[in-house]
Amino acid sequence: MSEVHRLVYCSQNRLPGSPDEVASAIRGILGASQANNRRVGVTGALLFNDGCFGQVLEGPQGAVEATFERIQMDDRHGAVTLLAFEPVAERAFGNWSMAYVGAGEAEARYAGLAAESGWDPSRMSGDELFATLERLVRRDDASAA
Ligand code: FAD
């Protein structure tokens, strides 16, 4: 079995339009991402906050690299900055072909989070971004159970 690799990056949003149009475009990105990722065994989580994306991709090295190469070419975001890429013992987001955490919903549900961490993906290290997403997605999952 291929070793699991984890990649973490952040980027700047380049999606034009109103907040509703941006939200709709992100839903499109998520739909395509979830279908593609499921096919190649990639899992992960995407954070969108205040003009920035932060994303964790995990899976077989080749699949993660090929997915990230497509993502880097996507003109719907820019200034893509790789924060971490390393082998890991296990997946953190094994149940999610691509989990999503949007700024508004997370702040509404977890009041105080912004003050607690700042959670601006562009100011986080790879470890901080990974830990923030893990905390948010797993809390989300627990509340949905
Ligand atoms: P396509 O069939 O090419 O497109 C899927 C949909 O997206 C179509 O509706 C198409 O019209 C639309 N689309 C594609 N490119 C553009 C564009 N440049 N401008 C406007 N609309 C467009 N892909 C993954 O596979 N996995 C991921 O985890 C992932 N995460 C992403 C995170 C971010 C922040 C962004 C911006 C993109 C992400 N993508 C991801 C998308 C990736 O960049 C490619 O667009 C996608 O992988 C192409 O897949 P496809 O050939 O199946 O889709």
Side-chain angles (χ1 to χ4, degrees):
M1 201 172 84
S2 317
E3 198 175 17
V4 175
H5 274 64
R6 178 178 301 139
L7 185 153
V8 184
Y9 78 85
C10 67
S11 63
Q12 302 287 327
N13 174 38
R14 300 266 191 271
L15 289 166
S18 66
D20 279 354
E21 287 165 332
V22 170
S24 159
I26 292 175
R27 279 197 296 278
I29 289 171
L30 273 176
S33 300
Q34 287 163 349
N36 289 340
N37 295 351
R38 210 169 281 126
R39 264 198 303 275
V40 297
V42 168
T43 54
L46 176 67
L47 170 67
F48 177 62
N49 184 44
D50 200 25
C52 297
F53 292 101
Q55 191 172 26
V56 176
L57 301 168
E58 51 188 23
Q61 180 172 1
V64 170
E65 283 173 352
T67 301
F68 185 57
E69 272 165 28
R70 284 201 314 278
I71 292 173
Q72 276 185 293
M73 304 289 293
D74 195 319
D75 57 10
R76 293 173 288 184
H77 65 168
V80 177
T81 306
L82 181 65
L83 300 175
F85 185 41
E86 59 195 357
V88 291
E90 58 182 3
R91 293 173 192 257
F93 301 102
N95 293 335
W96 294 272
S97 53
M98 190 47 59
Y100 177 66
V101 181
E105 62 185 274
E107 274 161 19
R109 250 180 273 174
Y110 314 124
L113 177 78
E116 187 187 316
S117 68
W119 77 300
D120 173 353
S122 67
R123 294 204 318 244
M124 290 183 197
S125 69
D127 283 350
E128 285 166 343
L129 182 48
F130 168 72
T132 298
L133 269 167
E134 193 183 32
R135 195 157 42 110
L136 286 168
V137 170
R138 289 202 167 161
R139 260 199 245 182
D140 219 19
D141 191 46
S143 68

